[in-house]
Structure formats: C-alpha cells, structure tokens
C-alpha cells in the first residue's frame, strides 16, 4: 500500500508526541517529523509543541512557503482516517525574483476618485436623458444632438461630454490634493518622531495594503547603508515610486531571501518604517560574522543591489484598543518590532495605551534608535516610558546594570491583568529567562507560537 493510502486515527497520532517520536496532522495528512525537529527553520519548540496534534492552523499562521511544502513530502507517512484531503495545499507558492510590482495604492486612490467622476458624469447624463424624455424630445432632436450641431441648444451627448470632462478634471484635482494631504511625511528620515498623525490619515494608512506581496518575492534596490552601531546597519530600500506604500500592518514583519553559497536562506526582519513613510522600506539589521543571511549576504550588499522581499508575516497586527498597558522587553536588534508599535501608539492621537520598555544591550554603543526612543519618551510621557539596562556599562552609566531579573520586570512592567500585555523580543537566552520570570509574576504561560490574544507575546 502506498504511503499516502495508509490511514491513522487522531488517537493514533496523539500517541506520538515526544521529541524522539513526533507525529502531527496538517490538512488531513499525517507527518512523522521526528528527524526534522532539529532542522526546522521555525525552531524545534514549535514542532515539539505540535507533536501528536492537528497543527494545520499554526502551520498556516506561520506563512510557510512552497519550500516547506516540498520538504513536508519527505515526512508524510499517511493520512487522517476519514480525511478527503489528498495533499497539503495550504502552503504558498513563491516566485523568487519576479519583479511583479503591484499597482500602487496611491494610484488606486486616484482611480477611485476618477471612477467617481466618471460615474457621476454617467448619472448626470442619464438624468439628462430622462429629462429629455420627460420634455418629449423627439428622436430627431436626439440625433441632432449626436452629430453635435453647433447652431442648436446643447444636446444630450454634448451635455454628457461636458459633464464627464468637468468631473474628470475635478476628480483629478481632488485626488491630487487628497494625496498631498496623505503624504505629509514621505520618508522615515524626515518624519520627526514627535508629530501625531491626524486621525483620518492614521486610520487609513497604517492598515492598508501596498507594495508587499505575501507569496511573491519582489526586489527592491538598496539606496542607503549606514553603520549605526557595531556590526549594525540602517538599510534603506526604495519602493517603486516616491508615493508607494509598503503595506505592512503594525507588528508584522517581512521575509528576505537570498542565495547564499548555493542555498536559499530566508530570514525575518521588522521594518522601522511604516506605511506613512511612502517610497521607502527601512531596516535596522545586526550582522553576525557567522550569520548565514547577515554575514553571508546583507553585510556585503552595495548601493544599487536588489534584495528580495515578501510579506507581511507574523501573528501581531496591532490596532489601538488592543490593551491598556504593555510591558515591553527588547534585547539588541529585538527593538525593531517594539519600535514599530511604540511609534504607532505615540503618533496616534486616539491611542492612550501606556507602554513601558526595558531595552537591554551589552554596551551603550549598542543601543539602537536611541534618539528616536528618547524623543518619544520626552514628548509622550503618558504613552511611553523607557528604561535602559546594559551588561557592560561604563562607570558613569546612570541606567540599569547587569541582566534583566524578575525584580526589574516587576518594577517596570504593568501588573498582570485583563488589560495588560507583555511583549518580548531578543536573543533566546533573554527571552526564555523573561518568560519564566513573567510566569512567576503571575502572567499566563506563553505558548511556543505566539497569538495576539496571549498575555505574553514573543515576536
Ligand atoms: C519576527 C522577527 C523579526 C526580526 N527582525 C529583525 C530585525 O529587524 N533586525 C535584525 O537584525 N534581526 C531581526 N530578526 C532576526 C533575523 O531574522 C535573523 O535571525 C538574524 O538576522 C540572523 O540571521 P543569520 O542568517 O545571519 O544568522 P544565522 O545563520 O541564523 O545564525 C548564525 C549565528 O548568528 C548569531 N545570531 C543569530 N541571531 C542571533 C540573535 N538574535 N542574537 C544573538 N546572536 C544571534 C549566532 O551566533 C548564530 O549562531 C528578526 C527575527 C524574527 C523572527
Ligand atoms: C512537516 C512540517 C513542517 C515543515 C516541513 C516546515 C518547514 C518550514 C520551513 C522550510 C520554514 C522556513 C520558511 C519557509 O520556507 O516557509 C519554516 C518556518 C517556520 N515554521 Fe515550519 N514547518 C513545518 C511545520 C510547522 C508547524 C507545525 C509550525 C507551527 C506549529 C511551524 C512553524 C514555523 C514558524 C513559526 C516558522 C518561521 C516563520 C517566519 O520566519 O516568520 N512549522 N518551516
């Protein structure tokens, strides 16, 4: 019997739930992933947590690519009894290197307004026709109108043409003025971190879709590469037009893929720019000499090189009203998702969420986005409180020293209740220690795959 014809019950699968014997169900198919646990790019923990269970939802939420689908075939041992699914079909088919630029949302706005003008003209024309019929205009008059005889009063066609032209011009002018209002802050660099975006702009822009495509890798040229801290670069990529919107909801991230030493390597990055920064995608990337994508690719990029992106990805899609208080713990480059949320919260005049950030680094020179974070804490003391902690500070350092302890978390984080959340992003050692301490402080134990509803969310 072929492997795909062997059937297992959910109970049989549930019995294989350990690190040395891990089966799981994904879209009606049964997989034995025991030998893949250590190789899984999403981490061993998530597979261990899913062992013995139906992990279809979690699998989909991770936004797996077609590569994953191919690898899965190796581990398929049969199907779930009673399931009609022939094959796992939920993974996304990736096209790498395709420069399929989606239509700009800015262009769509223009189209909408133009469409409105044409539709209005059509309505007026129809109204004109109705009026003519009511006025018992004869067929001869209508034909006269159609051949545009100048020595007669305006006919229906002339009226229609004039109305269409007038509305197209008005639509164009209106759309231009609307767009100029929307694009007040063209880039991350000239957007001062102390200006609240007007409500209507905030609501429209931050959640709108844009250039990014969830399943297709598209390339952007590198136009800026600045060393901002030891081994850490600010990388700026240019979107297709100065008015293009990235299309990244707050809290989500992008994937970058590259061929490194003959193998495709894909990693996640959280932009520090958001949809309000038209025309640009900005990243802060810490490069590791032995890191596959950073050391082997990103650190060696030159201005003009094209980089492949896809997204948005990730379980966090922040909107104001998510909770009332957030305790954030970031380590090193783990500041990027926190910065994205802090910026969105501080710049939204309706958002009264109180954020308290503990930002841990080795030395003062490693602190990233320092001036931006300090500007937010100065300007919005009710929204945002900032506490630095360094492993190896100089003697004159005024902030926290050493590692992040349970006591430090208790001092700076909100008490665990229905209105508070904890967020963590950083190196695995720090994340694991903080998770343990937060549970001891009364927060709910986080799962291996974070969900927006979790009290402790790990990016
Ligand atoms: C949702 C998400 C968002 C992210 N956003 C960003 C971002 O905005 N900026 C950014 O720089 N990174 C970010 N990362 C981390 C990034 O995805 C890569 O893991 C990182 O760039 C290392 O990739 P690599 O291939 O170079 O290293 P790998 O080849 O995967 O690792 C090789 C070596 O690099 C070192 N290393 C790798 N990651 C870390 C780490 N986090 N801490 C300490 N040492 C490490 C270790 O020595 C490791 O042995 C994010 C990760 C996730 C999951
Ligand atoms: C046989 C089963 C699986 C295979 C072969 C597989 C394979 C992969 C591969 C190849 C990647 C790298 C990114 C990509 O190409 O998509 C990946 C990432 C990931 N996987 Fe899986 N996976 C499996 C099951 C699961 C399950 C069950 C979960 C969750 C419970 C999970 C969670 C993740 C996460 C969180 C990532 C990281 C995504 C990111 O970078 O944002 N995977 N997996």
């Amino acid at each position: 019997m072929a492997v795909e014809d062997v059937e297992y019950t959910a109970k049989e699968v549930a019995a294989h739930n350990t690190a040395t014997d891990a089966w799981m169900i994904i879209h009606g198919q049964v997989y034995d992933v025991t030998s893949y646990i250590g190789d899984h790019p999403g981490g061993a923990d998530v597979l261990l947590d899913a062992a013995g269970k139906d992990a279809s939802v979690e699998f989909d939420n991770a936004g797996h690519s077609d590569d994953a689908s191919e690898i899965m075939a190796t581990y398929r041992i049969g199907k779930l009894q009673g399931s009609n699914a022939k094959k796992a079909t939920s993974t996304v088919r990736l096209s790498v290197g395709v420069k399929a630029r989606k239509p700009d949302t800015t262009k769509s706005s223009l189209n909408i307004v133009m469409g409105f003008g044409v539709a209005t003209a059509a309505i007026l024309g129809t109204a004109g026709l109705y009026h003519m019929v009511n006025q018992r205009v004869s067929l001869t008059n209508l034909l006269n109108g159609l051949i545009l005889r100048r020595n007669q009063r305006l006919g229906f066609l002339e009226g229609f043409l004039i109305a269409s032209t007038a509305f197209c011009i008005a639509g164009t002018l209106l759309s231009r003025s609307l767009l100029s209002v929307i694009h007040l802050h063209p880039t991350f660099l000239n957007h001062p971190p102390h200006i609240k975006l007007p409500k209507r702009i905030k609501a429209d822009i931050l959640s709108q879709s844009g250039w990014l495509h969830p399943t297709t890798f598209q390339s952007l040229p590198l136009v800026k590469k600045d060393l901002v801290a030891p081994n850490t670069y600010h990388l700026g990529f240019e979107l297709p037009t100065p008015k293009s919107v990235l299309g990244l909801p707050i809290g989500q991230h992008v994937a970058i893929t590259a061929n490194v030493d003959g193998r495709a390597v894909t990693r996640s990055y959280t932009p520090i720019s958001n949809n309000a920064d038209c025309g640009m995608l900005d990243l802060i990337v810490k490069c590791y000499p032995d890191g596959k994508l950073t050391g082997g690719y990103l650190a060696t990029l030159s201005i003009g090189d094209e980089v492949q992106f896809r997204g948005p990805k990730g379980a966090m899609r922040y909107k104001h009203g998510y909770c009332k208080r957030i305790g954030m713990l970031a380590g090193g480059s783990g500041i990027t998702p926190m910065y994205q949320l802090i910026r969105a919260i501080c710049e939204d005049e309706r958002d009264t969420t109180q954020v308290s950030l503990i930002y841990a680094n080795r030395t003062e020179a490693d602190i990233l986005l320092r001036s931006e974070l300090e500007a937010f804490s100065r300007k919005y003391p009710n929204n945002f409180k900032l506490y630095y902690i360094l492993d190896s500070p100089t003697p004159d350092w005024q902030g926290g020293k050493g590692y992040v302890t349970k006591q430090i978390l208790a001092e700076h984080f909100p008490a665990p209740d229905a209105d508070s959340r904890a967020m963590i992003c950083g190196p695995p050692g720090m994340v694991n220690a903080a998770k343990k301490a937060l549970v001891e402080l009364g927060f709910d134990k986080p799962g291996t795959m974070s969900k927006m509803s979790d009290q402790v969310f790990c990016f």
Side-chain angles (χ1 to χ4, degrees), residues 370-410:
R370 185 171 183 171
S371 59
E372 288 84 354
L373 290 169
E374 290 176 6
F376 282 130
S377 76
R378 266 197 315 276
K379 182 80 181 170
Y380 304 109
N382 293 333
N383 274 129
F384 180 49
K385 294 199 170 25
L386 173 61
Y387 179 75
Y388 296 121
I389 180 163
L390 299 178
D391 292 357
S392 319
T394 51
D396 58 338
W397 173 249
Q398 299 293 308
K401 294 171 192 161
Y403 291 129
V404 179
T405 61
K406 184 166 113 183
Q407 195 196 339
I408 291 174
L409 287 168

Coordinates of all heavy atoms in Angstrom, one line a residue, residues 370-410:
R370 N 18.2 55.2 19.5 CA 18.2 55.9 20.8 C 17.6 57.2 20.7 O 16.7 57.5 21.6 CB 19.7 56.0 21.3 CG 19.7 56.6 22.7 CD 21.1 56.5 23.2 NE 21.2 57.0 24.6 CZ 22.2 56.9 25.4 NH1 23.3 56.3 25.0 NH2 22.2 57.4 26.6
S371 N 17.9 58.1 19.8 CA 17.4 59.4 19.7 C 15.9 59.4 19.5 O 15.1 60.1 20.0 CB 18.1 60.3 18.7 OG 18.0 59.7 17.5
E372 N 15.4 58.4 18.6 CA 14.0 58.3 18.4 C 13.2 57.9 19.6 O 12.2 58.5 19.9 CB 13.7 57.3 17.2 CG 14.2 57.7 15.8 CD 15.6 57.5 15.6 OE1 16.4 57.1 16.5 OE2 16.1 57.7 14.4
L373 N 13.8 56.9 20.3 CA 13.1 56.4 21.5 C 13.0 57.5 22.6 O 12.0 57.7 23.2 CB 13.8 55.2 22.1 CG 13.7 53.9 21.3 CD1 14.7 52.8 21.8 CD2 12.3 53.3 21.3
E374 N 14.1 58.2 22.7 CA 14.1 59.3 23.8 C 13.2 60.4 23.4 O 12.6 61.0 24.3 CB 15.6 59.7 24.0 CG 16.3 58.6 24.7 CD 17.8 58.9 24.9 OE1 18.3 60.0 24.7 OE2 18.5 57.9 25.4
A375 N 13.1 60.7 22.1 CA 12.2 61.7 21.7 C 10.7 61.3 22.0 O 9.9 62.2 22.5 CB 12.3 62.0 20.2
F376 N 10.4 60.1 21.8 CA 9.0 59.6 22.1 C 8.8 59.7 23.6 O 7.7 60.2 24.1 CB 8.8 58.2 21.6 CG 8.5 58.1 20.2 CD1 9.2 57.2 19.4 CD2 7.6 58.8 19.6 CE1 9.0 57.0 18.0 CE2 7.3 58.7 18.2 CZ 8.0 57.8 17.4
S377 N 9.8 59.3 24.4 CA 9.5 59.3 25.9 C 9.4 60.8 26.4 O 8.7 61.0 27.4 CB 10.6 58.5 26.6 OG 11.8 59.2 26.7
R378 N 10.2 61.7 25.8 CA 10.1 63.1 26.2 C 8.7 63.7 25.8 O 8.1 64.3 26.6 CB 11.2 63.9 25.5 CG 12.5 64.1 26.3 CD 13.3 65.2 25.7 NE 13.4 65.2 24.3 CZ 14.3 64.5 23.6 NH1 15.1 63.7 24.2 NH2 14.3 64.6 22.2
K379 N 8.3 63.4 24.6 CA 7.2 64.1 24.0 C 5.9 63.4 24.5 O 4.8 64.1 24.7 CB 7.2 64.0 22.5 CG 6.1 64.6 21.8 CD 6.3 66.1 21.7 CE 5.1 66.7 20.9 NZ 5.1 68.2 21.0
Y380 N 5.9 62.1 24.8 CA 4.7 61.4 25.2 C 4.9 60.7 26.5 O 4.8 59.4 26.5 CB 4.2 60.4 24.1 CG 4.1 61.1 22.8 CD1 4.9 60.9 21.7 CD2 3.0 62.0 22.6 CE1 4.8 61.5 20.5 CE2 2.8 62.6 21.3 CZ 3.7 62.4 20.3 OH 3.6 63.0 19.1
P381 N 5.1 61.4 27.6 CA 5.4 60.7 28.9 C 4.2 59.8 29.3 O 4.5 58.8 30.1 CB 5.7 61.8 29.8 CG 5.2 63.1 29.2 CD 5.2 62.8 27.7
N382 N 3.0 60.2 28.9 CA 1.9 59.3 29.3 C 1.8 58.0 28.5 O 1.3 57.0 29.0 CB 0.6 60.1 29.2 CG 0.5 61.2 30.1 OD1 1.1 61.2 31.2 ND2 -0.2 62.3 29.8
N383 N 2.3 58.1 27.3 CA 2.2 56.9 26.4 C 3.4 56.0 26.7 O 3.3 54.8 26.5 CB 2.3 57.3 24.9 CG 0.9 57.6 24.4 OD1 0.8 58.6 23.7 ND2 -0.1 56.8 24.5
F384 N 4.6 56.6 26.9 CA 5.8 55.8 26.8 C 6.9 56.1 27.8 O 7.3 57.2 28.0 CB 6.4 56.1 25.4 CG 7.7 55.3 25.1 CD1 7.8 53.9 25.3 CD2 8.8 55.9 24.6 CE1 8.9 53.2 25.0 CE2 9.9 55.3 24.3 CZ 10.0 53.9 24.5
K385 N 7.3 55.0 28.5 CA 8.4 55.1 29.5 C 9.5 54.2 29.1 O 9.3 53.1 28.6 CB 7.9 54.7 30.9 CG 6.9 55.7 31.4 CD 6.7 55.7 32.9 CE 5.9 56.8 33.5 NZ 5.0 57.4 32.5
L386 N 10.8 54.7 29.2 CA 11.9 54.0 28.7 C 13.0 53.7 29.8 O 13.3 54.6 30.6 CB 12.5 54.9 27.6 CG 13.8 54.6 26.9 CD1 13.7 53.2 26.2 CD2 14.2 55.7 26.0
Y387 N 13.4 52.5 29.8 CA 14.5 52.1 30.8 C 15.5 51.3 30.1 O 15.2 50.2 29.6 CB 13.8 51.3 32.0 CG 14.8 50.9 33.0 CD1 15.3 51.8 34.0 CD2 15.2 49.5 33.1 CE1 16.2 51.3 34.9 CE2 16.1 49.1 34.1 CZ 16.6 50.0 35.0 OH 17.5 49.6 36.0
Y388 N 16.8 51.8 30.1 CA 17.9 51.0 29.5 C 18.6 50.2 30.6 O 18.7 50.6 31.7 CB 19.0 51.9 29.0 CG 18.5 52.9 27.8 CD1 18.6 54.2 28.0 CD2 18.1 52.4 26.6 CE1 18.3 55.1 26.9 CE2 17.7 53.2 25.6 CZ 17.8 54.6 25.8 OH 17.5 55.4 24.7
I389 N 19.1 49.0 30.1 CA 19.9 48.2 31.0 C 21.1 47.7 30.2 O 20.9 47.2 29.0 CB 19.1 47.1 31.7 CG1 19.9 46.3 32.6 CG2 18.3 46.2 30.7 CD1 19.1 45.4 33.6
L390 N 22.3 47.8 30.7 CA 23.5 47.4 30.0 C 24.2 46.3 30.8 O 24.4 46.3 32.0 CB 24.4 48.6 29.8 CG 23.9 49.8 29.0 CD1 24.9 50.9 29.0 CD2 23.5 49.3 27.6
D391 N 24.8 45.3 30.0 CA 25.6 44.2 30.6 C 26.9 44.8 31.1 O 27.4 44.5 32.1 CB 26.0 43.2 29.5 CG 24.9 42.4 29.1 OD1 23.8 42.6 29.6 OD2 25.1 41.5 28.2
S392 N 27.6 45.6 30.2 CA 28.9 46.1 30.5 C 28.9 47.7 30.4 O 29.4 48.2 29.4 CB 29.9 45.6 29.5 OG 29.7 44.2 29.3
P393 N 28.3 48.3 31.4 CA 28.3 49.8 31.3 C 29.6 50.4 31.7 O 30.4 49.8 32.4 CB 27.2 50.2 32.2 CG 27.2 49.1 33.2 CD 27.7 47.8 32.6
T394 N 29.8 51.7 31.3 CA 31.0 52.4 31.8 C 30.6 52.9 33.2 O 29.4 52.9 33.6 CB 31.2 53.7 30.9 OG1 30.0 54.4 30.7 CG2 31.8 53.2 29.6
P395 N 31.6 53.3 34.1 CA 31.3 53.6 35.5 C 30.3 54.8 35.6 O 29.5 54.8 36.6 CB 32.7 54.0 36.0 CG 33.7 53.4 35.1 CD 33.1 53.3 33.8
D396 N 30.3 55.7 34.7 CA 29.3 56.8 34.8 C 27.9 56.5 34.3 O 27.1 57.4 34.3 CB 29.9 58.0 34.1 CG 30.2 57.7 32.6 OD1 30.3 56.5 32.2 OD2 30.2 58.7 31.8
W397 N 27.6 55.3 33.9 CA 26.3 55.0 33.3 C 25.2 55.1 34.4 O 25.3 54.6 35.5 CB 26.3 53.6 32.8 CG 25.0 53.0 32.3 CD1 24.3 52.0 32.9 CD2 24.2 53.5 31.2 NE1 23.1 51.8 32.2 CE2 23.0 52.7 31.1 CE3 24.4 54.5 30.2 CZ2 22.1 52.9 30.2 CZ3 23.4 54.6 29.2 CH2 22.3 53.8 29.2
Q398 N 24.1 55.8 34.1 CA 23.1 56.1 35.0 C 21.9 55.1 35.0 O 21.1 55.1 35.9 CB 22.5 57.5 34.8 CG 23.5 58.7 34.9 CD 24.0 58.8 36.3 OE1 23.2 59.0 37.2 NE2 25.3 58.8 36.5
G399 N 21.8 54.3 33.9 CA 20.7 53.4 33.8 C 20.9 52.1 34.5 O 21.8 52.0 35.4
G400 N 20.1 51.1 34.1 CA 20.2 49.8 34.8 C 21.5 49.0 34.4 O 22.1 49.3 33.3
K401 N 21.9 48.1 35.3 CA 23.2 47.4 35.0 C 22.9 45.9 35.2 O 22.1 45.5 36.1 CB 24.3 47.8 36.0 CG 24.7 49.2 35.8 CD 25.6 49.7 37.0 CE 25.7 51.2 36.8 NZ 26.1 51.9 38.0
G402 N 23.6 45.1 34.4 CA 23.5 43.6 34.6 C 22.4 43.0 33.7 O 22.0 43.6 32.7
Y403 N 21.9 41.8 34.1 CA 20.9 41.1 33.3 C 19.5 41.6 33.8 O 19.3 42.1 34.9 CB 21.0 39.6 33.5 CG 22.3 39.1 32.8 CD1 23.2 38.3 33.4 CD2 22.5 39.4 31.4 CE1 24.3 37.8 32.8 CE2 23.7 39.0 30.8 CZ 24.6 38.2 31.5 OH 25.7 37.7 30.8
V404 N 18.5 41.3 33.0 CA 17.1 41.6 33.3 C 16.6 40.5 34.3 O 16.6 39.3 34.0 CB 16.2 41.6 32.1 CG1 14.8 41.9 32.4 CG2 16.8 42.6 31.1
T405 N 16.3 41.0 35.5 CA 15.8 40.0 36.5 C 14.3 40.1 36.7 O 13.6 41.0 36.2 CB 16.5 40.3 37.9 OG1 16.1 41.6 38.2 CG2 18.0 40.2 37.8
K406 N 13.8 39.2 37.5 CA 12.4 39.2 37.8 C 12.0 40.5 38.5 O 10.9 41.1 38.2 CB 12.1 38.0 38.7 CG 10.6 37.8 39.1 CD 10.4 36.4 39.7 CE 10.0 36.5 41.1 NZ 9.8 35.3 41.7
Q407 N 12.9 40.9 39.4 CA 12.6 42.2 40.1 C 12.5 43.4 39.2 O 11.6 44.2 39.3 CB 13.7 42.4 41.1 CG 13.4 43.4 42.2 CD 14.6 43.9 42.9 OE1 15.6 43.2 43.0 NE2 14.5 45.1 43.5
I408 N 13.4 43.4 38.2 CA 13.4 44.5 37.2 C 12.1 44.5 36.4 O 11.5 45.5 36.2 CB 14.7 44.5 36.3 CG1 15.9 44.9 37.2 CG2 14.5 45.5 35.1 CD1 17.2 44.7 36.5
L409 N 11.7 43.3 36.0 CA 10.4 43.2 35.3 C 9.3 43.6 36.2 O 8.4 44.3 35.7 CB 10.2 41.7 34.8 CG 11.1 41.2 33.7 CD1 11.0 39.7 33.5 CD2 10.8 41.9 32.4
A410 N 9.3 43.2 37.4 CA 8.2 43.6 38.3 C 8.1 45.1 38.5 O 7.0 45.7 38.5 CB 8.4 43.0 39.7

